[in-house]
């Protein structure tokens, strides 16, 4: 349980930092969320793919709630980075 909490906080902080830097460099607001979702879909389908499974749903059955919690934490971090950049821009900071 402790490892799950640490992993979730780590992914949240990591995605916040990466998203914040991407937002500053590319002058976008929500690009890190789109990039994260696209990468998540590609890796979520490709990584557990088993050729012997009959349906795609059987391939997704490999994931449990423990796998989803850090992913949700990372998605929250990407969202908070976009929100922070947006708040800084509304506050008058032109460099963001």
């Amino acid at each position: 349980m402790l490892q799950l909490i640490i992993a979730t906080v780590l992914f949240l902080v990591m995605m916040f930092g990466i998203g914040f830097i991407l937002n500053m460099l590319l002058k976008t607001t929500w690009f890190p969320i789109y990039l994260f979702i696209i990468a998540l879909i590609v890796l979520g389908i490709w990584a557990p793919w088993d050729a012997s499974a009959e349906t795609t749903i059987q391939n997704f059955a490999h994931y449990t709630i423990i796998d989803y919690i850090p992913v949700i934490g990372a998605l929250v971090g990407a969202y908070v980075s976009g929100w922070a950049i947006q708040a800084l821009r509304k506050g008058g900071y032109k460099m963001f």
Side-chain angles (χ1 to χ4, degrees):
M1 191 57 129
L2 182 62
Q3 294 170 345
L4 178 65
I5 294 168
I6 291 171
T8 304
V9 172
L10 180 68
F11 282 124
L12 187 139
V13 171
M14 186 172 59
M15 278 306 296
F16 176 81
I18 291 170
F20 196 84
I21 291 170
L22 277 175
N23 283 328
M24 279 194 315
L25 294 176
L26 300 177
K27 300 287 185 185
T28 63
T29 302
W30 304 112
F31 178 70
I33 290 179
Y34 302 139
L35 185 65
F36 180 73
I37 291 173
I38 290 170
L40 188 66
I41 289 172
V42 171
L43 291 175
I45 292 173
W46 179 71
W49 197 260
D50 182 15
S52 65
E54 295 177 12
T55 62
T56 305
I57 300 298
Q58 289 177 346
N59 284 314
F60 289 120
H62 294 106
Y63 294 120
T64 62
I65 190 71
I66 301 300
D67 298 320
Y68 289 120
I69 291 174
V71 170
I72 292 170
L75 188 61
V76 168
Y79 174 76
V80 171
S81 73
W83 179 81
I85 288 289
Q86 192 175 30
L88 286 169
R89 286 186 186 139
K90 284 182 182 177
Y93 293 97
K94 300 295 180 193
M95 61 187 283
F96 297 112

